[in-house]
Structures are given as C-alpha cells and as structure tokens.
Amino acid sequence: MESTRTLTDKIFLVLKGLGMGAANKVPGVSGGVVAFVAGFYEEFIYSLKKVNKTAFKLFFNGRFKSFYRYINGKFLGLLFFGMIVSYFSVSKVLDYLIKHYELYVWSVFFGMIIGSIYYINKDFKDWNYRTSTSLALGILLGISISFLNPAKENDNLWFVFFCGIISVSGMTLPGFSGSFILILLGNYVLLLVDSVNALFDTFSDIFSGDFSFVRNAARLRMLQVLAVFTLGSITGLITFSHLLSYILKHYKSITLSAIIGFIIGSLGVVWPWKKTIYKYAEDGSFLYDSTGNKVVENFERFIPSLNTETYYAIIFIVIGVLLVLALEWYGQKTRKVK
C-alpha cells in the first residue's frame, strides 16, 4: 500500500490532514467528514486498527521498521503531520476568518456538509427497513446533540479522560464534532485553551531557565489535566477505530446509513444563521482563547430575513457544495489514472 504512493499522493495526503485538522478545530464540523469525502476514511480506520497488541510487541522488541510497516506508518504519519501543521497554520487562518466573517465561514461549512451528504448518498443503494431505521436514528441523534445545553466545567480526572475519548470522535465518526461535544460537556476552555496554554507557558519557562513552575500548584494541575486528556484521546482514537472497523466489516450498510443520518442531523450545528453566546469570566468580561478569540458557549439559531448579507451567505453555501464536488471529481480522476 505504502510503496505505491507517488509524491503527488503524499502531498495530497498531507493536505487532507490539514483539512481534517482544521475541521476538528471548529465546533460543529467533523474531521471524519473530510476523510469520508476525500476517500480515505476506511483506510484511516483500518490503519488505526493496526495499533494493537501485535504492533506494541513489534515496537517494544525493537523491530521499528516492521512496526512502521504494520501500522501503515507512512499513511498515518503524513496524515497526522498535516493535522499538526494545521493546528499551527490553517486553523489559525480559520480562527481569523470566523472572527471577522463568521456568517460566510459557517455558510461554506453548511454547503460542504450538504455536498458531503450528496457524495455519500449517491452511491448508496442498499436502502431497506434496517438501513432506513438506522438513517432516522442517526438524524435524530445528530439533531438532539446540536440542541443540548452546555454543562459546567469539571476537572475531575476520570471525566477529563472521558472527554479525551470524546474529543477524537470527530476524526473517526463523520458528522460527530468532538470540539462541539466538549462545549456541551463544559470543558472546551479547560482542555483546549487553559491546559494548552499551561503547556506553552511551561515550555517557555524551561527554555528561559525558569523552573519555578514546579512549585506552582495550579500550573501542575493543568499539566496533569492535559496529560490525562491526551491519554484519553489516544485511547479513544484506538478504541473507536477498532469498534468502527468491526462494524464496517460486519454491518457496513447499516453503519453508512447511520453516518448519513448523523451528518444530516449535524446540519443544525453548522446552521449559518445563529447568534453566538460567549462565555464570561467571573468579573463579567469575555473569556478569550489562546488565539485571542472569544470562547463560544452555545448558539441561538434563527431564520434570516432576505437581504444582501443573506444572498451572499447563500452564494457561499453553493461554494461549499462545489468544493466537495471538486474533491469528488479529483478523487474519481486519480482513481482512473491508477
């Protein structure tokens, strides 16, 4: 599998990682949808499934090359490299665009979700009672999640571990936004802002030769929270991949119809016309994340009136649909070439 990848394949795989990373950063958008539409979802799931007992035996026995080949290391490495680069580049641009052009950014995402639904559904022919029921349940679950109210922040380590498992779900389950679920669980700021800032400050202190943070109980607690969150994320990534690999193998039609339903249900989360409700500090001021953006708590959706801004938003929805169709066209073209 790895040996047949051309340089162009590798470049586009990194770009797909950039897309997944950017999507995972935005509440309501799922990196798994990017993987699905770009045509590498099943390879992604089956590669993650290879991180198992056999892989760990190869690694701890020093057989690193065998370990690398066994887990499809080139594929996963390039993809995760793109995701990491995205966090420090593409997602920053996305933060800026959301801050200054929020309606139009959400409109593009809304269009991309519509395009994704078309893409997944167009080749799905196995409609029957079971798949239709699965579709309906997926829609119901997606809609229900999008209208839940956020909980309060909770730094209990067992709960943080659970949040870690949930946070990576958007990578493995299309339509399921891990960052949005963290908002609902009340820990978006704690886990994706405060703890990350604590790690950044710690590295800054170490590089400047200042080790006073070892006596800072609050800093150490944040680092502990981040460590447990990371462990939960790794556990979730591996666990979800094994579970999804199994159900894709044995219940593929039901799983795909549920995914279609879940993505349809997620349209409520990315509905462009909504009033953003922000989190406030104890003194009544806005809370800001590490990029200087106000921290989102929830959204109030509404039906827009017809005006110039709405017409522009509709144009951006169409652009979002066309982006997905362009991805589909590229995927078909590359498959024909091969």
Side-chain angles (χ1 to χ4, degrees):
M1 188 182 299
E2 292 179 2
S3 60
T4 61
R5 296 190 191 280
T6 65
L7 177 60
T8 302
D9 290 333
K10 294 173 184 177
I11 292 172
F12 272 98
L13 193 54
V14 173
L15 292 176
K16 290 168 184 176
L18 289 172
M20 282 191 76
N24 284 325
K25 180 78 180 291
V26 181
V29 184
S30 164
V33 171
V34 176
F36 218 115
V37 173
F40 63 93
Y41 178 73
E42 289 193 31
E43 183 178 1
F44 178 58
I45 295 299
Y46 291 134
S47 296
L48 287 175
K49 182 191 173 187
K50 288 289 189 177
V51 184
N52 52 26
K53 183 168 65 176
T54 301
F56 284 119
K57 282 182 179 180
L58 292 170
F59 182 82
F60 288 114
N61 287 334
R63 299 173 60 187
F64 301 121
K65 287 186 178 180
S66 297
F67 166 80
Y68 184 75
R69 287 194 299 269
Y70 180 78
I71 66 168
N72 198 8
K74 188 171 292 184
F75 170 81
L76 289 179
L78 291 170
L79 198 61
F80 281 108
F81 173 73
M83 292 182 200
I84 294 169
V85 171
S86 175
Y87 184 82
F88 295 104
S89 57
V90 175
S91 63
K92 301 298 182 185
V93 175
L94 199 54
D95 288 337
Y96 173 84
L97 292 175
I98 288 177
K99 183 176 181 179
H100 294 89
Y101 306 99
E102 184 175 12
L103 173 62
Y104 302 138
V105 172
W106 284 115
S107 297
V108 172
F109 285 141
F110 191 78
M112 291 180 72
I113 297 297
I114 292 174
S116 300
I117 294 167
Y118 162 76
Y119 172 83
I120 299 170
N121 183 60
K122 72 181 181 68
D123 294 325
F124 187 80
K125 308 298 182 185
D126 191 16
W127 289 113
N128 53 50
Y129 172 77
R130 293 196 303 170
T131 54
S132 297
T133 302
S134 180
L135 173 74
L137 291 175
I139 293 173
L140 182 62
L141 184 58
I143 293 175
S144 299
I145 288 175
S146 68
F147 286 97
L148 289 175
N149 291 320
K152 291 183 178 180
E153 186 172 286
N154 185 349
D155 69 348
N156 177 277
L157 294 182
W158 283 109
F159 186 71
V160 168
F161 183 80
F162 171 73
C163 287
I165 294 175
I166 292 297
S167 71
V168 297
S169 57
M171 291 173 60
T172 53
L173 186 58
F176 195 88
S177 171
S179 54
F180 183 74
I181 296 300
L182 285 182
I183 289 177
L184 296 179
L185 293 174
N187 274 4
Y188 182 85
V189 176
L190 175 70
L191 300 177
L192 296 186
V193 179
D194 293 344
S195 62
V196 175
N197 286 344
L199 181 64
F200 179 82
D201 292 341
T202 300
F203 278 125
S204 297
D205 290 344
I206 291 174
F207 286 128
S208 63
D210 180 6
F211 293 91
S212 61
F213 67 87
V214 297
R215 296 185 297 275
N216 186 332
R219 175 82 66 82
L220 294 177
R221 176 63 176 178
M222 282 294 98
L223 293 176
Q224 184 182 32
V225 164
L226 182 61
V228 172
F229 176 67
T230 302
L231 182 61
S233 299
I234 295 171
T235 302
L237 197 60
I238 296 172
T239 303
F240 273 119
S241 63
H242 280 74
L243 177 62
L244 284 169
S245 174
Y246 176 83
I247 62 177
L248 278 171
K249 183 177 180 180
H250 294 87
Y251 308 100
K252 187 169 184 177
S253 294
I254 293 176
T255 304
L256 290 178
S257 59
I259 287 174
I260 294 171
F262 208 92
I263 295 175
I264 292 172
S266 74
L267 285 171
V269 179
V270 293
W271 177 252
W273 294 278
K274 52 182 172 278
K275 178 183 177 182
T276 306
I277 301 172
Y278 297 101
K279 280 200 170 186
Y280 293 89
E282 292 181 0
D283 62 1
S285 62
F286 287 113
L287 281 175
Y288 291 88
D289 63 20
S290 56
T291 63
N293 294 325
K294 296 174 185 176
V295 176
V296 177
E297 181 174 3
N298 209 341
F299 306 102
E300 287 184 0
R301 298 160 187 83
F302 61 90
I303 303 298
S305 57
L306 293 178
N307 52 41
T308 303
E309 187 180 55
T310 301
Y311 292 133
Y312 275 122
I314 293 172
I315 291 172
F316 278 102
I317 289 175
V318 174
I319 290 173
V321 174
L322 293 177
L323 282 173
V324 174
L325 294 181
L327 272 175
E328 179 197 359
W329 173 82
Y330 170 77
Q332 289 179 342
K333 183 179 178 181
T334 53
R335 281 192 291 271
K336 287 179 181 177
V337 170
K338 292 180 181 180

